[in-house]
Amino acid sequence: MLGTEYVGFLFGLDKLLLVPLALGTIVLYWILVPPKINDGGVPHIPALKTLYWTFKSRPSRMDLCNKVDIPALRNTGIVRSWLWGRWMYKTNNAEYARQLFLKTSVFQKIELHNVVPYVFRAVAAGGNLMTENGDHFKAHRSIVGPSFRRAWPVSTFHTHMNKLVNIIQRQEGALDILQACRRATLDVLGQIIMGADFGALDNIDGELLEICWDVVEAGIEPLYLVFPFLDKFPIGKRAKSFANLKKFHRFIESTINAKRAELQSRGALSDEERNKADLLTLMIEAYEYSKIHGAFDENGKLLPSMTSEELRNNTIIFFVAGHDATAYSLSHLLGELALHPDIQQRARDRVISVIGDSPDAFPTDEQLVELADLDMIIKESMRKNSTVSDIRRQLTESVTLGPYTLPKGAWVMVDNWAMQNNPIYYPDPEKFIPERFAETTKPDTNLTANVPFS
């Protein structure tokens, strides 16, 4: 009798094991086999190949681009690829990208906070200027836009850049230049956005630095870009990142509340005060004005009201995105100059010819205009080492790109790295050639093919 019960138990256990086995088979099929779509035959990159190089090249996706994306895109300029837990279209064709950038009613931003609200990126910055469409986008722009209608004098960056230079000069042995640039840009953006000095260049062990870097890196962690549903069950390091995100939210919210109280006690800003104010103060001023008088589009239509949470989200997106994008761009530029001493020497000679070579030399606004020809070096570094890997959109209707017809609802990604390293637009793309961006040699297609900051 016991033997019969034991056999029955094993038989029942076998049936139970069939359930996860069947589910696993379904998931694997979903990932490995792209659904059949009548799109004209857009080729696809095998999902296993994408997954392998995604994790092999972490945290950067440059190897994935070089080993997988660029070869796959060489013949058609568009492929289907697995990312963000789904099959999407990926292109490095400048003409296709032009349509995506210009036809905003058809190629709409993917509203992650509505589509996958549980993923880290969506929790971090929710609805903001960079993720909203239509009237909601216009509402955000009406608040954020006025804050950027000004320029900062070069002197704004003097103190922080001098500190960065001193750190580089005093360093004995190898220096993690990205971390040094991150500390410098954190201080600069703290001053510009919040009117605060975070002291990141003076204190390498500050909690705010740790939180900021964790939040940024958690947003690009490959495992969660490939399998975003895992963010529903954060454990270990991921759970710590979500906890740091809550701390970061509280820090931003407390800063906003302090700025708001300061504005209320001070009253309306004078023109002179407005010209010297930080971005957050200007955003809060515009936000408070819209609460009383409303915000309107170019045709006088009343726009949706921005919430306090959305004000926080916009502050976060400019702070985090601006901080890391600037740090990466600066560190890549220094790296390229180190690898190309001839170009470095020419740039140094040019700077000395304008501002001199005294230890405390720093350009004025007028001298910076004279050095505009050095922009070629900066643009070439940003082309070769784009800080924004891709730009994603979702189709509101079917779209024809060349011989292909993409269906409504599809996600489409412009692969910035693959486009900016496309030999059609930039011959010998692996080489560092600043002269590509000389005014006399710059083709019109490069205006679309080079979008390092999206």
Side-chain angles (χ1 to χ4, degrees), residues 255-397:
T255 304
I256 290 173
N257 290 336
K259 291 282 184 184
R260 181 182 283 136
E262 182 182 342
L263 267 176
Q264 289 174 346
S265 64
R266 178 194 297 175
L269 295 174
S270 67
D271 289 341
E272 183 179 356
E273 288 174 325
R274 194 170 288 111
N275 287 334
K276 295 179 180 179
D278 55 80
L279 286 178
L280 182 55
T281 296
L282 296 177
M283 278 202 291
I284 293 173
E285 182 187 44
Y287 168 75
E288 295 294 342
Y289 182 90
S290 72
K291 284 171 59 178
I292 299 171
H293 303 283
F296 301 86
D297 68 7
E298 60 276 10
N299 298 315
K301 177 184 176 183
L302 181 64
L303 297 171
S305 299
M306 180 188 284
T307 65
S308 294
E309 183 179 324
E310 289 170 334
L311 177 63
R312 181 203 69 190
N313 294 343
N314 280 296
T315 306
I316 289 173
I317 205 68
F318 292 122
F319 187 81
V320 174
H323 160 242
D324 228 46
T326 305
Y328 271 101
S329 295
L330 184 56
S331 61
H332 282 309
L333 175 61
L334 294 174
E336 293 291 355
L337 290 174
L339 291 171
H340 301 90
D342 56 327
I343 297 175
Q344 179 186 153
Q345 187 61 50
R346 291 204 307 270
R348 184 174 187 276
D349 292 342
R350 180 76 181 100
V351 170
I352 290 175
S353 72
V354 175
I355 70 172
D357 61 352
S358 65
D360 60 347
F362 200 83
T364 64
D365 293 325
E366 293 75 22
Q367 288 172 329
L368 199 62
V369 174
E370 290 185 57
L371 294 170
D373 51 312
L374 296 183
D375 285 353
M376 292 188 298
I377 298 175
I378 298 171
K379 289 177 180 177
E380 175 65 351
S381 177
M382 292 172 67
R383 175 204 67 81
K384 192 165 175 279
N385 310 282
S386 176
T387 57
V388 177
S389 61
D390 56 73
I391 303 168
R392 293 177 294 274
R393 296 289 186 266
Q394 185 171 20
L395 298 183
T396 60
E397 60 185 58

Side-chain angles (χ1 to χ4, degrees), residues 31-322:
I31 294 174
L32 299 179
V33 183
K36 292 182 180 180
I37 298 176
N38 185 22
D39 56 15
V42 177
H44 75 276
I45 299 173
L48 284 180
K49 195 172 185 179
T50 296
L51 294 176
Y52 173 79
W53 282 103
T54 294
F55 292 105
K56 183 176 175 61
S57 64
R58 67 193 297 254
S60 169
R61 284 176 48 211
M62 189 61 79
D63 283 342
L64 171 66
C65 178
N66 291 333
K67 302 288 187 181
V68 180
D69 295 346
I70 290 178
L73 288 161
R74 185 170 293 127
N75 294 325
T76 60
I78 187 169
V79 295
R80 292 169 72 193
S81 178
W82 174 269
L83 190 65
W84 276 100
R86 66 182 63 220
W87 287 94
M88 64 173 65
Y89 293 95
K90 180 181 291 187
T91 182
N92 71 338
N93 181 299
E95 182 51 42
Y96 298 168
R98 187 193 301 272
Q99 291 192 49
L100 182 143
F101 298 146
L102 296 179
K103 297 180 179 179
T104 55
S105 63
V106 177
F107 294 87
Q108 291 205 336
K109 291 176 231 175
I110 298 170
E111 300 177 359
L112 286 181
H113 56 291
N114 292 325
V115 179
V116 279
Y118 50 84
V119 302
F120 190 89
R121 287 191 184 188
V123 176
N128 61 74
L129 183 71
M130 297 176 66
T131 61
E132 295 283 14
N133 296 288
D135 285 347
H136 285 280
F137 165 74
K138 292 178 181 179
H140 285 268
R141 185 179 60 186
S142 71
I143 304 300
V144 174
S147 306
F148 286 87
R149 291 172 190 163
R150 56 167 294 187
W152 284 266
V154 176
S155 58
T156 304
F157 311 98
H158 191 175
T159 300
H160 303 305
M161 290 301 100
N162 273 351
K163 286 182 180 180
L164 176 60
V165 170
N166 287 335
I167 287 173
I168 295 172
Q169 290 177 336
R170 291 198 311 265
Q171 178 71 25
E172 295 181 3
L175 171 68
D176 188 332
I177 193 62
L178 174 59
Q179 297 294 48
C181 290
R182 276 178 159 178
R183 288 156 57 192
T185 52
L186 185 63
D187 280 349
V188 169
L189 287 176
Q191 180 179 344
I192 290 174
I193 295 177
M194 299 181 180
D197 184 358
F198 295 135
L201 283 165
D202 299 315
N203 178 18
I204 63 173
D205 298 319
E207 183 184 20
L208 181 60
L209 273 76
E210 180 184 341
I211 290 173
C212 278
W213 295 345
D214 185 34
V215 167
V216 169
E217 289 168 1
I220 58 175
E221 172 58 43
L223 176 64
Y224 299 91
L225 294 180
V226 176
F227 303 113
F229 68 88
L230 292 176
D231 267 336
K232 289 184 176 182
F233 318 102
I235 58 174
K237 186 175 183 294
R238 196 64 171 180
K240 181 182 177 182
S241 294
F242 271 99
N244 278 336
L245 180 57
K246 287 184 179 180
K247 292 180 183 178
F248 190 62
H249 279 173
R250 288 196 294 269
F251 164 71
I252 297 294
E253 288 163 357
S254 65
T255 304
I256 290 173
N257 290 336
K259 291 282 184 184
R260 181 182 283 136
E262 182 182 342
L263 267 176
Q264 289 174 346
S265 64
R266 178 194 297 175
L269 295 174
S270 67
D271 289 341
E272 183 179 356
E273 288 174 325
R274 194 170 288 111
N275 287 334
K276 295 179 180 179
D278 55 80
L279 286 178
L280 182 55
T281 296
L282 296 177
M283 278 202 291
I284 293 173
E285 182 187 44
Y287 168 75
E288 295 294 342
Y289 182 90
S290 72
K291 284 171 59 178
I292 299 171
H293 303 283
F296 301 86
D297 68 7
E298 60 276 10
N299 298 315
K301 177 184 176 183
L302 181 64
L303 297 171
S305 299
M306 180 188 284
T307 65
S308 294
E309 183 179 324
E310 289 170 334
L311 177 63
R312 181 203 69 190
N313 294 343
N314 280 296
T315 306
I316 289 173
I317 205 68
F318 292 122
F319 187 81
V320 174

